Amino acid sequence: MDRTDTALAEFEPAFAGPADIAAWHMRAIACEAGNAYLKPGEREKLRRILQGTVAPMMAGNLAAMYDLGLEHDRLYRKPLAQFQDLILAPGTRAAVLKSFIEHKLPAGRPDYMKALFIEAAARQLGERWVGDSCDFIDVTIGTARLQDLIQTFAMETRNPVGTTIRPFAALMTPQGEQHTLTTHLLGLLFDTLGWSRTVVDPGPKNAVMLAATVARADVVCIGWSNERLAGEFQHLVSQIRRLSAGRRLPLVVGGAAALKSVDFLVEIGIDCVCDSVYSAARICKSFYDLEELNQQACAPGTPPAGKTDTGKTAIVSSSGIDWLSP
């Protein structure tokens, strides 16, 4: 199969792979042994195996292709070019962009492909600006249209509040960050994957909401694109750590500034740096699955070990997952 053609690929295994198999296998072993839980030493051994072997394999070659972006899939090149024209055309409304995505993309694809398509379009818009094929006004208007489009899809896609327990992601940016398109795009991707999520402004007026959101979160994703906000970013991380004291809440970071500041992020203990919304969602699922296994393996009365308490930071890109030590 052509590596840039995902038409014949199975999609869901990208988000349900070896980690799920490992969980089933662990439960089978426990049943055969007549014991519902693993011993502490065995539990830690399982965690090391998952972090060192299973996590890098989770989404396989399909994930690598999605990490690269849909602009590298030949089936999406023409739709992306047409979509770019629509984004920049005078008077284009969000309804027109929405109709294009619903009717002009390859059929039979899962809902999360819509989010990946918008991400590719936003990336191409930025490349056109850098290449001087469109000006700042075009980029500003185009970005606003994409933001409206994301909100429209999110309103239709988000699961209603109910009794079903779903993973919960807290999404935020440092105070003063103006580039929030990717944060909302990641929120849409989580919607299509069946997660619960909230985008929260960490400003002083929202202290109560920030505390409630962090208390509920399984993972926290921070978008950071402006390098001048390094102080605000570090303050936000400190706030999250204080509010989540007593548990090791995974912190996943992405954005232009994050990719330029990997050493800094490793030093302050960030768990993962991602270069795409797909990478972020994939690693968040990995962290969540690992915690699920950890919870199952803990004996009654024994608090679960921190799911990322290894002193390592992961950098997720199209080439795979690299585990770094501070």
Side-chain angles (χ1 to χ4, degrees), residues 247-286:
R247 63 188 181 117
R248 190 73 165 90
L249 183 63
L251 302 184
V252 178
V253 181
L259 295 175
K260 295 178 181 178
S261 310
V262 172
D263 290 344
F264 165 69
L265 297 177
V266 171
E267 289 175 2
I268 66 174
I270 294 301
D271 296 291
C272 189
V273 185
C274 298
D275 66 349
S276 71
V277 295
Y278 186 84
S279 294
R282 182 158 54 97
I283 197 64
C284 285
K285 186 178 188 304
S286 179

Side-chain angles (χ1 to χ4, degrees), residues 55-125:
M57 293 169 54
M58 267 202 65
N61 291 334
L62 180 59
M65 284 187 280
Y66 288 168
D67 284 334
L68 287 171
L70 291 189
E71 61 266 42
H72 297 283
D73 185 331
R74 64 178 180 83
L75 295 181
Y76 285 88
R77 289 171 189 162
K78 182 177 179 181
L80 278 168
Q82 295 172 333
F83 194 68
Q84 283 290 313
D85 292 338
L86 277 178
I87 293 173
L88 297 175
T92 300
R93 297 183 178 275
V96 175
L97 299 177
K98 179 175 181 291
S99 178
F100 182 95
I101 289 178
E102 290 177 334
H103 302 292
K104 299 296 184 180
L105 300 190
R109 304 301 176 95
D111 282 344
Y112 64 76
M113 297 298 288
K114 297 176 183 177
L116 301 187
F117 183 84
I118 297 173
E119 180 190 29
R123 188 161 45 242
Q124 286 188 336
L125 184 62

Side-chain angles (χ1 to χ4, degrees), residues 312-326:
K312 292 184 177 181
T313 295
I315 298 182
V316 181
S317 66
S318 58
S319 59
I321 302 178
D322 294 326
W323 293 94
L324 306 177
S325 296

Side-chain angles (χ1 to χ4, degrees), residues 153-180:
F153 275 126
M155 291 178 63
E156 296 180 354
T157 307
R158 297 188 73 171
N159 293 310
V161 177
T163 58
T164 302
I165 298 176
R166 299 190 301 273
F168 178 76
L171 312 179
M172 57 192 75
T173 58
Q175 188 174 0
E177 179 67 66
Q178 295 181 333
H179 302 283
T180 61

Side-chain angles (χ1 to χ4, degrees), residues 85-304:
D85 292 338
L86 277 178
I87 293 173
L88 297 175
T92 300
R93 297 183 178 275
V96 175
L97 299 177
K98 179 175 181 291
S99 178
F100 182 95
I101 289 178
E102 290 177 334
H103 302 292
K104 299 296 184 180
L105 300 190
R109 304 301 176 95
D111 282 344
Y112 64 76
M113 297 298 288
K114 297 176 183 177
L116 301 187
F117 183 84
I118 297 173
E119 180 190 29
R123 188 161 45 242
Q124 286 188 336
L125 184 62
E127 291 170 354
R128 293 183 68 164
W129 180 34
V130 172
D132 289 330
S133 59
C134 66
D135 59 27
F136 179 76
I137 295 177
D138 289 331
V139 172
T140 302
I141 294 174
T143 300
R145 288 171 176 168
L146 291 179
Q147 189 101 350
D148 288 343
L149 178 63
I150 291 168
Q151 297 292 355
T152 300
F153 275 126
M155 291 178 63
E156 296 180 354
T157 307
R158 297 188 73 171
N159 293 310
V161 177
T163 58
T164 302
I165 298 176
R166 299 190 301 273
F168 178 76
L171 312 179
M172 57 192 75
T173 58
Q175 188 174 0
E177 179 67 66
Q178 295 181 333
H179 302 283
T180 61
L181 179 68
T182 302
T183 301
H184 288 281
L185 188 55
L186 179 58
L188 175 60
L189 183 55
F190 277 128
D191 291 340
T192 63
L193 296 173
W195 282 50
S196 296
R197 54 85 177 183
T198 294
V199 178
V200 58
D201 180 354
K205 296 181 180 180
N206 292 327
V208 174
M209 181 178 181
L210 178 63
T213 302
V214 170
R216 181 185 171 195
D218 294 297
V219 294
V220 173
C221 299
I222 306 174
W224 178 32
S225 66
N226 188 337
E227 293 179 77
R228 289 176 293 182
L229 298 177
E232 288 81 354
F233 172 85
Q234 192 162 11
H235 176 67
L236 176 59
V237 171
S238 298
Q239 282 184 292
I240 295 169
R241 293 259 167 80
R242 176 178 54 82
L243 293 170
S244 61
R247 63 188 181 117
R248 190 73 165 90
L249 183 63
L251 302 184
V252 178
V253 181
L259 295 175
K260 295 178 181 178
S261 310
V262 172
D263 290 344
F264 165 69
L265 297 177
V266 171
E267 289 175 2
I268 66 174
I270 294 301
D271 296 291
C272 189
V273 185
C274 298
D275 66 349
S276 71
V277 295
Y278 186 84
S279 294
R282 182 158 54 97
I283 197 64
C284 285
K285 186 178 188 304
S286 179
F287 280 132
Y288 182 79
D289 288 345
L290 185 59
E291 175 64 2
E292 287 285 287
L293 290 178
N294 194 32
Q295 292 282 359
Q296 294 169 18
C298 283
T302 302

